[in-house]
Amino acid sequence: MIRINDIIDRAVDVNPDADIDIINRAYIYSARVHQGQMRLSGEPYLSHPLEVAKILADMNLDSTSIAAGLLHDVIEDAEATRVTPEDLKSMFGKEVAHIVSGVTKLSVLPFSSAQARQAESIRKMILAMADDIRVILIKLADRLHNMRTLQYHKSAKRKEIAQETLDIYAPIAGRLGIYWVKKELEDIAFMNLNYGEYSKILSRLNKGRQESEKYIETVKTLIQKKMEASQLKCEVLGRYKHIYSVYQKMISQNLSFEEIYDVIAFRIILSTIPQCYEALGILHSMWKPIAAKFKDYIAVPKPNMYQSLHTTVIGPYGERVEIQIRTWEMDKVAKSGIAAHWGYKEGKKMDETILKRFSWIQNLVENQENFRDPSEFLENVRIDLFPDEIYVFTPRGEIKSLPKGATPIDFAYLIHTEVGNQCTGAKIDGRMVSLKHELKTGNIVEIITTKGHHPSKDWLNYTKTVKARTKIRQWIKAQEKERSLSLGREMCEKAFRKHRLNFSERSKSPAMETVVGEFGLKSLEDLIASVGYGKITPLQVVRKFLPKPEAEEEALLTKGVEKRERKKTKEGVIVKGVDDILVRFAKCCRPVRGDAVTGYITRGYGVTIHRTQCINALKMNPERQIEVEWAPETIETFPVKIRVRALDRVGLLADLAANISKNAANILSARSENRSDDETVTSFFTISVENTTHLDRVLADIRRIKNVQEVVRIGR
Ligand code: MN
């Protein structure tokens, strides 16, 4: 079993100021709580957290990470260990407790096998749930050690874990740029999933090993000599590619092992970037490069900040040789990825430049947009890769992605429209919640439906997805149509009854079909709904079924529908579209030619003309309103009431009367009221005028009379 001192040595190597105390305390605590527990291998359980901590130390992580690594399983096994996050917080501080809780959360996710098709969702979910990147790094170290000790599991379990590793964890390690972890995870997983192919490739690699070693030596020496001749100090490394990558190459390019020449790759490491390009030039002068294979990841780094020059050349024996050229700094990044960047500054926040370099985390996962300000989410090395998305489980373990802020209603509609329409409640992680409850990544969501239950309008306030909103609106609309149909039917039946007609009987008649067409509608249902919505009055419908004379009166209700010749009535008003109709002028507002007027149909009395702003007219049923206009050229006069207020004086009334007469307006009646308190007199006249211009002239003239204070037309 690895010793804690090896881990501490490594931590101090990386950083002389490392917090040894917290590592020691975590070790002692972990040893105590795991006491008596065994690994499947028969080793004491403690060996596992120790190995994990060693891997973390090898990643050059800080002492907080190493301590958290030592403690990473104490909460998960809480039944045995009886440790709570609060315990960890009080003993090791907020950070350690937070990280261990995060690792535990990931461990208890209900991932099952046969979920390869949702692998991408799971990867995103894991990255989304780990709000501190160290949570993922510990999870990776944990998985790596579990893979190293996979042989103690039964075959079926081995395959399950291996597949999950290949689908989920190896790609995450790759995205974080920790290639050595990715390679080891892949090779162990491959060995367990496809031992036949694995051992075939391995034995072939081994068979030619002696020859290969010689080959590596030859190529290394050739490169080294050329570089030295140009005063380039460098290190040349030759290495075997990992088995899974050889296998992948065979699969993807449909090659046999014999056709795969480049199972060995070379790396040249130098001090500066200019040296890298210089070395590239020398290399290309030695051996012919394959142009299509050249990649400049120094000028254009990979999203995870990997930098190198990649070239493939035709080597000394006519074989293809893959060569990477990079600086020592780049080599460090390539080896440990994100982990290369911290640990140096124990207990301190990362400085601005390093934080900036971390912005590549944004691009870790494809198809991600709408990131927040990178410096904001990288604060305290926290990550929030998917600020706008959450990932939740169905009770069967399927992962569903929803926008942030989504509720059980959104989830229900995502499952099925009927589930949405009939949902009455939700359980999250087995506990009842309200439908307004905001879902969080990792939740297991179960929807409770009740047959015959309906969506409600206010659900629109608690939904984030387009699908849910659309479906809810659709339902409401259908509901409204339903309502207007029954309302419309009721109104029609009533109106028909009033005229001793049977609506439902008429509905079936061919005449109704014609009527529907006359309204420009497609079906009787549309007609009834239009009545319900108030677009058509029931009277308009009834009229179509009335005998001629009776219909005539009602016909007036349809304004200007029938285009007939306008005819002047003797009253001087044209009722649009109607001949020979009795017209009366309303007594309340006494319209005068030139006034804006509106007609109202009075049953049995023809049309009554009101001034448009007349209060009585405004109170009338708009259904009865009909458009009218003044007929041109007439000689008749209109009675109008006026009121004149003036300071009383001798001869005032006579002056008023004379003035009105002078303007050729006939006085029909006159009345005066005296007020003793302020010595004013108010006179009312009904005069006849030809039109509003005539009236205006009369009023203007009265205003000029001495002592007159106010002259107004009255009547509404
Ligand atoms: Mn573990």
Side-chain angles (χ1 to χ4, degrees):
M1 192 159 85
I2 194 164
R3 296 173 322 128
I4 188 65
N5 284 341
D6 299 336
I7 295 164
I8 290 173
D9 285 352
R10 172 73 197 171
V12 174
D13 256 5
V14 172
N15 171 26
D17 299 329
D19 183 354
I20 297 166
D21 177 56
I22 197 170
I23 298 176
N24 264 320
R25 284 191 293 121
Y27 167 68
I28 293 163
Y29 188 76
S30 183
R32 205 183 76 216
V33 297
H34 286 305
Q35 193 163 36
Q37 290 180 288
M38 292 287 196
R39 292 279 287 179
L40 282 178
S41 61
E43 275 189 287
Y45 195 88
L46 184 63
S47 62
H48 171 62
L50 273 172
E51 290 287 350
V52 169
K54 178 64 165 60
I55 293 168
L56 296 169
D58 287 341
M59 285 181 180
N60 298 349
L61 293 186
D62 59 352
S63 31
T64 303
S65 309
I66 295 170
L70 286 165
L71 299 165
H72 81 270
D73 272 337
V74 301
I75 300 180
E76 193 188 340
D77 299 333
E79 258 176 48
T81 61
R82 305 201 176 281
V83 178
T84 65
E86 288 69 42
D87 294 337
L88 292 187
K89 195 173 163 186
S90 64
M91 279 179 284
F92 302 99
K94 213 166 67 187
E95 259 190 314
V96 169
H98 181 81
I99 294 170
V100 173
S101 296
V103 176
T104 307
K105 250 192 271 169
L106 289 185
S107 302
V108 300
L109 284 179
F111 297 136
S112 65
S113 56
Q115 280 179 333
R117 69 192 166 84
Q118 30 175 1
E120 178 57 24
S121 300
I122 298 174
R123 291 195 289 263
K124 280 184 174 182
M125 186 161 184
I126 288 172
L127 291 169
M129 278 184 76
D131 58 1
D132 187 313
I133 193 97
R134 289 172 292 188
V135 169
I136 294 174
L137 297 176
I138 291 172
K139 192 69 206 159
L140 287 175
D142 177 46
R143 178 52 61 114
L144 183 57
H145 183 242
N146 286 337
M147 288 300 282
R148 285 174 180 172
T149 52
L150 200 59
Q151 68 269 28
Y152 301 106
H153 281 285
K154 290 210 174 79
S155 168
K157 187 77 184 162
R158 274 209 310 264
K159 282 197 159 50
E160 192 184 301
I161 296 173
Q163 189 64 54
E164 188 186 71
T165 301
L166 215 50
D167 290 339
I168 312 293
Y169 292 98
I172 289 178
R175 281 181 191 172
L176 295 176
I178 314 168
Y179 291 111
W180 71 270
V181 172
K182 175 180 189 271
K183 287 173 186 172
E184 193 176 339
L185 289 176
E186 282 179 346
D187 274 357
I188 301 173
F190 181 47
M191 181 176 77
N192 281 278
L193 286 168
N194 193 345
Y195 188 74
E197 284 299 317
Y198 175 87
S199 53
K200 233 195 277 177
I201 295 170
L202 183 67
S203 71
R204 277 170 171 167
L205 284 174
N206 284 339
K207 207 164 77 188
R209 178 122 339 202
Q210 229 181 351
E211 217 176 296
S212 298
E213 296 294 338
K214 233 165 72 191
Y215 169 75
I216 290 175
E217 236 8 84
T218 312
V219 173
K220 266 173 72 172
T221 313
L222 282 170
I223 295 173
Q224 203 95 49
K225 272 192 179 152
K226 274 278 185 188
M227 297 296 161
E228 271 164 24
S230 300
Q231 269 92 48
L232 274 181
K233 227 183 117 205
C234 68
E235 181 161 335
V236 183
L237 301 164
R239 62 184 176 94
Y240 292 92
K241 288 189 166 174
H242 75 294
I243 293 166
Y244 187 62
S245 74
V246 173
Y247 175 70
Q248 272 182 314
K249 201 161 211 169
M250 285 165 61
I251 295 294
S252 68
Q253 297 174 19
N254 200 19
L255 299 170
S256 68
F257 182 84
E258 283 71 26
E259 291 169 288
I260 307 259
Y261 295 103
D262 40 0
V263 294
I264 293 162
F266 292 88
R267 183 174 299 152
I268 307 173
I269 306 172
L270 305 101
S271 298
T272 68
I273 291 174
Q275 285 176 358
C276 291
Y277 286 102
E278 203 179 329
L280 180 76
I282 293 166
L283 208 59
H284 284 180
S285 69
M286 285 169 72
W287 295 313
K288 191 174 153 46
I290 299 168
K293 291 280 182 181
F294 174 69
K295 296 247 165 59
D296 186 348
Y297 291 120
I298 289 181
V300 186
K302 282 193 186 183
N304 61 16
M305 257 171 69
Y306 172 90
Q307 284 184 299
S308 272
L309 298 173
H310 284 194
T311 187
T312 303
V313 297
I314 306 297
Y317 307 104
E319 81 292 13
R320 289 151 72 111
V321 187
E322 263 185 49
I323 300 163
Q324 301 169 338
I325 305 168
R326 56 171 77 142
T327 64
W328 288 104
E329 175 67 25
M330 292 171 192
D331 192 52
K332 195 163 74 190
V333 173
K335 275 178 177 154
S336 39
I338 186 167
H341 300 286
W342 87 82
Y344 320 127
K345 294 184 178 169
E346 192 88 13
K348 284 179 207 153
K349 277 189 188 170
M350 273 189 243
D351 67 34
E352 204 61 29
T353 54
I354 292 179
L355 277 178
K356 269 207 187 102
R357 297 174 79 188
F358 268 104
S359 63
W360 63 266
I361 294 179
Q362 288 180 77
N363 304 316
L364 277 180
V365 185
E366 307 87 338
N367 311 325
Q368 270 313 121
E369 292 158 286
N370 308 325
F371 279 105
R372 283 188 222 145
D373 180 5
S375 62
E376 184 188 317
F377 83 79
L378 283 164
E379 205 181 14
N380 298 323
V381 210
R382 284 175 170 260
I383 54 168
D384 189 358
L385 294 173
F386 315 102
D388 302 327
E389 271 177 83
I390 58 157
Y391 299 87
V392 297
F393 291 98
T394 68
R396 282 207 232 127
E398 250 181 279
I399 295 181
K400 299 281 176 193
S401 158
L402 285 162
K404 197 172 180 163
T407 60
I409 301 171
D410 291 301
F411 181 85
Y413 277 103
L414 191 63
I415 302 297
H416 195 276
T417 303
E418 275 315 297
V419 176
N421 281 344
Q422 304 190 354
C423 89
T424 46
K427 279 185 183 176
I428 286 179
D429 301 335
R431 217 174 291 161
M432 284 296 297
V433 297
S434 102
L435 288 174
K436 302 176 195 173
H437 187 93
E438 191 180 319
L439 301 179
K440 296 257 162 16
T441 287
N443 284 158
I444 302 169
V445 189
E446 189 184 337
I447 296 297
I448 296 154
T449 59
T450 308
K451 263 231 151 57
H453 189 80
H454 304 305
S456 89
K457 214 169 194 167
D458 65 320
W459 282 9
L460 289 171
N461 300 323
Y462 316 121
T463 45
K464 279 274 185 281
T465 56
V466 175
K467 181 167 184 195
R469 286 164 175 279
T470 311
K471 293 293 176 187
I472 296 167
R473 284 208 188 94
Q474 256 173 26
W475 193 88
I476 292 169
K477 230 175 166 183
Q479 211 51 25
E480 269 167 7
K481 172 138 195 204
E482 195 78 14
R483 247 201 319 272
S484 54
L485 264 176
S486 69
L487 180 66
R489 186 174 297 278
E490 201 177 296
M491 286 167 79
C492 286
E493 277 167 0
K494 213 166 153 189
F496 273 63
R497 244 194 332 269
K498 216 164 151 190
H499 291 87
R500 279 168 236 96
L501 295 173
N502 184 322
F503 178 68
S504 48
E505 221 170 71
R506 297 286 165 148
S507 296
K508 291 167 203 145
S509 68
M512 184 58 91
E513 256 177 70
T514 318
V515 169
V516 167
E518 277 171 22
F519 281 107
L521 298 168
K522 287 201 184 88
S523 67
L524 176 63
E525 199 172 84
D526 286 350
L527 178 67
I528 297 172
S530 298
V531 172
Y533 282 129
K535 288 178 193 159
I536 297 174
T537 69
L539 227 48
Q540 281 175 287
V541 183
V542 175
R543 187 174 69 75
K544 304 274 187 186
F545 293 89
L546 292 179
K548 261 269 164 193
E550 212 178 323
E552 221 159 65
E553 185 201 17
E554 301 292 354
L556 300 172
L557 293 165
T558 313
K559 301 156 267 176
V561 172
E562 295 132 296
K563 282 270 172 225
R564 288 194 214 162
E565 206 187 337
R566 290 175 178 187
K567 199 170 171 190
K568 199 182 98 182
T569 66
K570 56 182 184 291
E571 282 83 11
V573 164
I574 293 171
V575 178
K576 280 191 186 168
V578 184
D579 289 339
D580 289 331
I581 181 88
L582 180 65
V583 171
R584 301 182 309 151
F585 289 94
K587 295 219 171 64
C588 53
C589 57
R590 292 194 184 278
V592 168
R593 172 180 295 281
D595 281 334
V597 285
T598 309
Y600 289 88
I601 294 153
T602 325
R603 200 178 292 260
Y605 295 100
V607 174
T608 307
I609 311 296
H610 288 263
R611 279 158 69 190
T612 301
Q613 79 272 31
C614 170
I615 286 179
N616 289 334
L618 291 174
K619 278 189 256 177
M620 303 235 201
N621 185 348
E623 249 176 41
R624 305 195 146 266
Q625 196 181 327
I626 191 161
E627 223 177 296
V628 295
E629 64 184 31
W630 294 103
E633 310 154 34
T634 73
I635 43 144
E636 82 256 69
T637 57
F638 302 88
V640 62
K641 270 188 161 180
I642 60 170
R643 186 186 68 207
V644 180
R645 221 181 53 206
L647 274 179
D648 204 6
R649 66 170 169 88
V650 179
L652 174 71
L653 207 56
D655 279 354
L656 288 172
N659 214 288
I660 293 167
S661 299
K662 184 190 82 188
N663 277 301
N666 214 7
I667 297 174
L668 302 174
S669 71
R671 184 171 59 87
S672 282
E673 286 171 5
N674 280 72
R675 279 178 60 171
S676 48
D677 52 344
D678 62 354
E679 298 185 338
T680 61
V681 60
T682 305
S683 310
F684 298 90
F685 296 92
T686 305
I687 59 175
S688 60
V689 294
E690 282 167 29
N691 52 38
T692 46
T693 322
H694 186 194
L695 173 64
D696 289 344
R697 203 166 62 228
V698 174
L699 298 183
D701 269 2
I702 297 173
R703 276 189 199 104
R704 284 191 211 105
I705 297 170
K706 196 183 158 201
N707 277 17
V708 169
Q709 292 171 326
E710 183 198 52
V711 185
V712 287
R713 176 182 179 182
I714 56 172
R716 288 169 288 195

